[in-house]
Amino acid sequence: MQTIDLDTKVKFLRGFADKTRIQILESIKEQEKTVSQIVEDIKGNQSNISQHLACLKGCGIIVGRQVGKYCYYSIGNQQVRDLLTMFDVVLQEVQNDVACCERHID
């Protein structure tokens, strides 16, 4: 397996390190959606969500598929979908510790 540059790894992980981006990923985890559908799902601001979608797409975490005037967003590949599932699995074990952590408070 090829060694990944540490800065690239950190940049990739930052793609997941935002509440709105996680909400977007959860919204499209099982099926592709348009921006409007995502906005409705997470009760967000379209402009803000569009910026987060651009970030996620730029990092290769999601992909967009243009159909007429609509762009449908989905998870970029099965490994990213598996990673989102693994976050949930790991958090089941450590969620109380994470919730009590005072080093990373929003």
Side-chain angles (χ1 to χ4, degrees):
M1 178 179 247
Q2 179 184 1
T3 303
I4 305 292
D5 174 69
L6 191 57
D7 291 334
T8 302
K9 200 178 281 191
V10 169
K11 190 182 284 189
F12 174 74
L13 290 171
R14 282 189 183 142
F16 297 95
D18 181 271
K19 183 177 181 177
T20 300
R21 289 194 290 270
I22 292 295
Q23 288 175 306
I24 290 168
L25 292 169
E26 290 295 330
S27 174
I28 64 173
K29 187 174 175 181
E30 299 302 325
Q31 72 178 52
E32 65 181 5
K33 294 183 180 173
T34 65
V35 176
S36 298
Q37 291 170 316
I38 296 167
V39 167
E40 185 176 319
D41 273 359
I42 68 173
K43 310 290 187 252
N45 171 290
Q46 184 164 344
S47 175
N48 185 30
I49 289 171
S50 292
Q51 290 176 6
H52 285 292
L53 286 167
C55 172
L56 291 166
K57 190 175 176 187
C59 288
I61 296 170
I62 66 171
V63 294
R65 180 176 68 87
Q66 196 74 38
V67 178
K69 67 177 187 171
Y70 296 102
C71 186
Y72 289 85
Y73 292 95
S74 60
I75 302 297
N77 58 49
Q78 187 59 45
Q79 288 82 6
V80 171
R81 191 173 282 106
D82 293 345
L83 182 58
L84 291 169
T85 300
M86 187 55 66
F87 285 156
D88 291 340
V89 169
V90 172
L91 279 169
Q92 286 293 322
E93 297 294 321
V94 298
Q95 66 182 326
N96 291 333
D97 295 329
V98 172
C100 294
C101 179
E102 295 182 15
R103 293 189 178 265
H104 302 286
I105 298 174
D106 265 345

